[in-house]
Amino acid sequence: MRRLRHWGPGLLLLSPSLILLAVFVYGLIAWTTKVSVSDEHNALGSKGFVGLDNYTKLFTNDINDRFTHSLRNLLIFTVVFLAGAMFFGLLWAFILERGVRAEGFFRTVYLFPMAVSFVASGVVWRWLMNPNTGDNAGGLNSVLGGLGLDFLQNTWWTNPDWGMAAMAIPAIWQLSGYVMALFLAGFRGIPQELREAAAMDGASTYRLYRNVIFPQLTPVALSALIIIGHMSMKMFDLIMSVSGPQWLTEVPAIYVWQTLLTSDYAKAAAISIILLLLVAVVIVPYLIYTNRQEKNA
Amino acid sequence: MAFKPVKDGGRGGRTRFTRRAAVAAVGVAALLTAGACGSSDDSSGGGSGSSKVEVFTWWADGGEKAGLDGLVKQFGTDCAGQTFENGAVAGGAGANAKSVLASRLQQGDPPDTFQAHAGAELQDYINAGQIEDLSADYDSWGLKQAFPQGLIDNLTVEGKIYSVPANIHRANVVWTNKKVLAEAGITKDPTDLAGFIADLDKVKAKGIKAPLAVGKDWTQLMLFESVLITDLGPDKFTGLWTGATDWNDAGVTKAINDFKQLLTYTNTDRDALDWTDAEKLVMDGKAAYQLMGDWEAADLDAKKFTDYAWFTFPGNGDTFQWLADSFVLPKGAKNPEGTKCWLKTVGSAAGQKAFNTTKGSIPARTDATPGDYPKYQQAAMADWKSFKQVPSCAHGSACSQGWQGAANSALGKFSTNQDVAELQKAMATAASEFVKK
């Protein structure tokens, strides 16, 4: 009873946002789930419950294995994008942390791409990575050609073997600054005493970073991975506006869109729910881990 | 689960980064992952006044809007006492309109008439029993005599006709850059594939690496369909979409191989280009040919490029591959009388003239006066009268939307891996899934 009294005012204050969350997030997830187990196409309306048919069809009977192929594309994109953004983000942060002149200027330069919308940068990168080489080379290829680096010229995202990896380049350019900001905050959060203690014990710079500083950054690195990881899994606008070849660069989010265009709501809903579950699989263990850390702290 | 109070979860680089902030940031991000899509439904409510006709289209601007305005004017003359109500939903190449339409049909609140591609794309509405049979009206309005027989056959589903086409576009046309052809010493239009390939070689010898310009998936599907018409003939081609012709046919294998050979003459960045990008290659003289629907004529004229010519895709003979926008009568329309008058106007000689002279298409009727139209359209109208009509999958007159999506993705894959057997199998699988049972 007392506990209830204790909760009352809080719940009252929270209720508007709780109701909004319930309706517009969980309500819509529930509704999408309902559509995904129906056979709702075009204007037909739902003829009722078809169980997991839409899901099994995606994995076993999708023409050209389009869905599994889009998952494969997503995996390549995510791996390359995470590796690139984490590497450059840590590198920039490390350089700035060591102290350079005009630190503010560099920080701005690295962070600036964050301010550009995905659509705008997608359009520019579309031109930069235009696959033409030789006489009518696209932006990047003509620069490489001009520098005499012809062997680096590439067909980028029309390359059948690693076109999807090329798609990650604009994403890396756009978000490594964000990862840098996270790491910088992490560096700042490490108590000065630790560094001093390490210095007193005569640790070399290498040992200091290897055994003292980097281990302290683990939670930050995990957060960064999770944040950009789930961004990557839902990536739509950037890939859409670079608009590479559909088959080579289609990811599930774009497949949802293409499916909606053909009014196949049930299939689109099924893909959405699978995507939601994939993101949940990434995020839930992280939440459990950090909650445990909080308790131990 | 208890809601823990969380401190300010700022996500900038300047706030002190705590684990809690990280949890908050990730938590918020996770909540934004909902894969749900809402469709805004702003039905124009009521409309029970029996003299209003709500016409639902995605023609909101450009030549299409001008065409619609012309139709509306004619409607005002022909149907005194009825008022036109514009239910246009702009954007998304009709995608937005389709989702609004679907939800309205489901709620039993249909507009009085809506725009749809004529032919197979109507199949879903017919199956759902959402649109009315107009066969009797076709007879009383004399449309069966006014439209060519091939079009009537393509429009007929199990003996009934459900829509009135407002315009006709042609798909199987090759557009050329006259200057490039003259430089390569080409003076005659090719009439078969062998001749076309010989001409492509001539242009290539002049140093133009990719004489045939194409764009991404659906433009490749159009090219593939033209090759299929050449190799199978119009009747067997139409059969591919009705189930009468087997996709595993040897003729289809030959067509895929021919298509593969044509791709060797095309630009390597084809999968990254839209049709207008491919058109630009022809305008710039970087290519000599492009297969595209006849909206290209209007587009080239608008871009002030005059040095172009056209011919029917080599080997298509006298086949006219058509696509059309049409109007239907939904079940439960509030004002069926007014709607029928609208449909009658759409199909009438005056209505078709008002619409097509501004939109850059040709009328579906064979009794129109050619003098009212620009040069290309006059040629197309003459062909429309005498040629054999076949439908197009890339533009919905031959196959449903789902089938189009499957075919586009199969061609996208083929463009990458050039696997003939795989493309044939994918197309056969799509046919078995989508063909009318």
Side-chain angles (χ1 to χ4, degrees):
Chain A
M1 198 63 223
R2 262 183 64 194
R3 277 182 67 183
L4 253 183
R5 259 217 305 278
H6 180 71
W7 270 82
L11 274 179
L12 202 67
L13 282 170
L14 274 174
S15 61
S17 57
L18 283 184
I19 288 166
L20 284 175
L21 268 182
V23 173
F24 287 104
V25 177
Y26 298 103
L28 286 179
I29 292 175
W31 182 74
T32 308
T33 311
K34 190 200 100 178
V35 173
S36 76
V37 292
S38 74
D39 57 352
E40 196 161 333
H41 306 301
N42 203 359
L44 294 175
S46 170
K47 288 251 172 49
F49 180 76
V50 295
L52 294 179
D53 275 12
N54 294 314
Y55 292 89
T56 49
K57 247 199 286 197
L58 280 176
F59 286 101
T60 56
N61 194 15
D62 203 22
I63 291 168
N64 292 320
D65 303 323
R66 195 168 156 186
F67 180 66
T68 40
H69 184 79
S70 75
L71 284 179
R72 195 203 74 147
N73 281 348
L74 181 64
L75 183 71
I76 296 172
F77 178 82
T78 304
V79 169
V80 176
F81 167 48
L82 287 189
M86 294 299 283
F87 173 77
F88 286 109
L90 186 55
L91 185 68
W92 306 151
F94 180 67
I95 292 170
L96 290 181
E97 201 264 341
R98 300 289 296 155
V100 287
R101 278 195 197 164
E103 188 194 328
F105 168 76
F106 283 111
R107 204 172 35 206
T108 313
V109 168
Y110 292 144
L111 258 178
F112 189 73
M114 271 286 287
V116 182
S117 77
F118 276 129
V119 176
S121 79
V123 171
V124 173
W125 277 95
R126 179 186 180 183
W127 173 79
L128 279 174
M129 299 203 300
N130 184 308
N132 277 322
T133 50
D135 291 345
N136 39 12
L140 212 49
N141 283 339
S142 58
V143 169
L144 291 171
L147 294 172
L149 299 170
D150 288 42
F151 62 95
L152 279 178
Q153 287 190 339
N154 208 289
T155 49
W156 307 113
W157 28 255
T158 52
N159 182 319
D161 300 324
W162 50 280
M164 202 62 218
M167 220 22 137
I169 296 173
I172 293 170
W173 172 82
Q174 192 126 26
L175 285 168
S176 50
Y178 178 58
V179 177
M180 172 203 77
L182 292 178
F183 273 123
L184 265 181
F187 277 124
R188 301 278 146 83
I190 296 171
Q192 204 56 35
E193 299 87 62
L194 272 180
R195 295 171 187 254
E196 281 161 10
M200 295 272 282
D201 293 340
S204 63
T205 310
Y206 167 76
R207 297 283 305 208
L208 169 73
Y209 277 95
R210 165 91 179 66
N211 296 359
V212 178
I213 306 263
F214 284 149
Q216 291 278 319
L217 289 177
T218 311
V220 180
L222 262 174
S223 306
L225 265 180
I226 297 293
I227 290 171
I228 62 172
H230 95 266
M231 274 183 182
S232 160
M233 291 170 95
K234 297 177 305 173
M235 188 63 75
F236 173 85
D237 37 11
L238 182 73
I239 297 174
M240 196 81 184
S241 45
V242 174
S243 83
Q246 184 202 338
W247 171 253
L248 279 178
T249 58
E250 186 167 69
V251 291
I254 290 184
Y255 194 9
V256 171
W257 170 248
Q258 297 285 6
T259 310
L260 280 176
L261 286 188
T262 64
S263 309
D264 195 341
Y265 300 132
K267 185 173 170 183
I271 302 172
S272 302
I273 294 294
I274 292 173
L275 203 50
L276 178 70
L277 291 176
L278 282 177
V279 177
V281 162
V282 171
I283 286 182
V284 168
Y286 168 81
L287 287 177
I288 292 172
Y289 164 81
T290 44
N291 281 340
R292 204 176 292 153
Q293 293 274 317
E294 294 262 306
K295 283 204 187 77
N296 297 345
Chain B
M1 160 182 169
F3 285 95
K4 277 194 188 158
V6 179
K7 281 189 204 132
D8 164 48
R11 293 175 54 179
R14 289 180 175 273
T15 46
R16 211 168 63 83
F17 200 98
T18 62
R19 288 211 187 97
R20 284 190 169 187
V23 175
V26 172
V28 167
L31 290 180
L32 296 175
T33 327
C37 52
S39 69
S40 67
D41 169 35
D42 58 344
S43 66
S44 56
S48 53
S50 61
S51 68
K52 271 209 299 246
V53 180
E54 188 196 355
V55 179
F56 186 99
T57 66
W58 52 87
W59 293 332
D61 47 25
E64 299 175 326
K65 175 75 170 66
L68 181 64
D69 290 344
L71 256 182
V72 172
K73 219 169 121 194
Q74 192 59 41
F75 173 71
T77 319
D78 292 355
C79 308
Q82 301 285 353
T83 43
F84 166 85
E85 189 185 333
N86 192 348
V89 175
N96 301 352
K98 280 177 190 163
S99 63
V100 172
L101 179 65
S103 63
R104 285 186 59 178
L105 288 172
Q106 280 189 33
Q107 290 160 16
D109 170 37
D112 292 306
T113 181
F114 61 85
Q115 170 196 357
H117 283 137
E121 216 170 270
L122 290 172
Q123 199 55 45
D124 294 329
Y125 301 114
I126 297 169
N127 292 348
Q130 288 172 325
I131 50 180
E132 300 276 8
D133 171 17
L134 299 171
S135 310
D137 303 296
Y138 260 69
D139 290 327
S140 64
W141 297 337
L143 292 182
K144 281 191 174 156
Q145 291 71 47
F147 294 163
Q149 189 54 45
L151 174 66
I152 296 285
D153 292 344
N154 291 163
L155 286 175
T156 305
V157 180
E158 285 156 20
K160 296 177 181 143
I161 303 180
Y162 292 88
S163 67
V164 179
N167 63 344
I168 297 290
H169 274 296
R170 187 176 187 181
N172 55 338
V173 186
V174 178
W175 305 88
T176 67
N177 180 322
K178 286 208 299 222
K179 190 161 153 279
V180 176
L181 293 192
E183 278 168 5
I186 296 166
T187 49
K188 281 218 321 275
D189 293 339
T191 52
D192 56 20
L193 267 181
F196 190 35
I197 302 252
D199 284 354
L200 285 165
D201 282 325
K202 277 185 204 159
V203 179
K204 217 171 173 167
K206 282 277 174 251
I208 291 179
K209 274 199 295 261
L212 177 61
V214 285
K216 59 172 53 170
D217 42 47
W218 63 271
T219 65
Q220 291 169 30
L221 178 59
M222 283 177 76
L223 183 63
F224 180 47
E225 285 191 79
S226 297
V227 178
L228 281 167
I229 295 172
T230 293
D231 283 343
L232 295 173
D235 293 329
K236 270 186 94 174
F237 170 80
T238 307
L240 288 170
W241 312 107
T242 59
T245 310
D246 186 359
W247 274 95
N248 295 311
D249 192 284
V252 176
T253 316
K254 180 180 183 313
I256 297 177
N257 279 307
D258 288 341
F259 173 63
K260 186 175 171 176
Q261 190 183 358
L262 281 181
L263 282 187
T264 60
Y265 294 95
T266 62
N267 39 312
T268 46
D269 61 352
R270 56 184 174 259
D271 293 313
L273 301 187
D274 209 339
W275 73 275
T276 43
D277 302 321
E279 176 194 56
K280 194 168 181 319
L281 290 175
V282 174
M283 287 162 67
D284 293 347
K286 286 179 181 166
Y289 303 99
Q290 181 195 7
L291 175 110
M292 191 34 64
D294 59 11
W295 45 91
E296 175 127 348
D299 200 58
L300 288 167
D301 292 341
K303 289 173 179 165
K304 302 277 186 284
F305 181 80
T306 52
D307 218 12
Y308 70 91
W310 66 87
F311 53 82
T312 307
F313 186 84
N316 277 203
D318 55 358
T319 306
F320 189 115
Q321 194 184 25
W322 66 273
L323 52 120
D325 291 300
S326 66
F327 286 96
V328 300
L329 174 59
K331 277 211 166 65
K334 293 179 200 72
N335 179 7
E337 274 318 294
T339 305
K340 285 211 170 176
C341 194
W342 167 261
L343 294 174
K344 190 177 172 183
T345 304
V346 168
S348 71
Q352 299 236 321
K353 177 183 158 187
F355 184 77
N356 290 297
T357 41
T358 43
K359 191 180 179 282
S361 43
I362 64 166
R365 300 178 68 100
T366 49
D367 56 5
T369 318
D372 300 336
Y373 291 84
K375 193 172 69 154
Y376 165 77
Q377 268 94 311
Q378 290 186 22
M381 282 158 77
D383 293 348
W384 177 240
K385 257 189 218 168
S386 56
F387 279 20
K388 187 163 182 62
Q389 287 84 17
V390 300
S392 149
C393 178
H395 299 284
S397 46
C399 63
S400 65
Q401 297 183 44
W403 198 342
Q404 279 171 59
N408 282 339
S409 106
L411 279 150
K413 191 171 184 183
F414 182 77
S415 175
T416 307
N417 69 6
Q418 311 270 314
D419 184 334
V420 173
E422 187 183 57
L423 175 61
Q424 186 152 10
K425 185 168 158 279
M427 293 305 275
T429 312
S432 64
E433 183 171 331
F434 290 105
V435 89
K436 293 202 303 285
K437 298 288 183 294

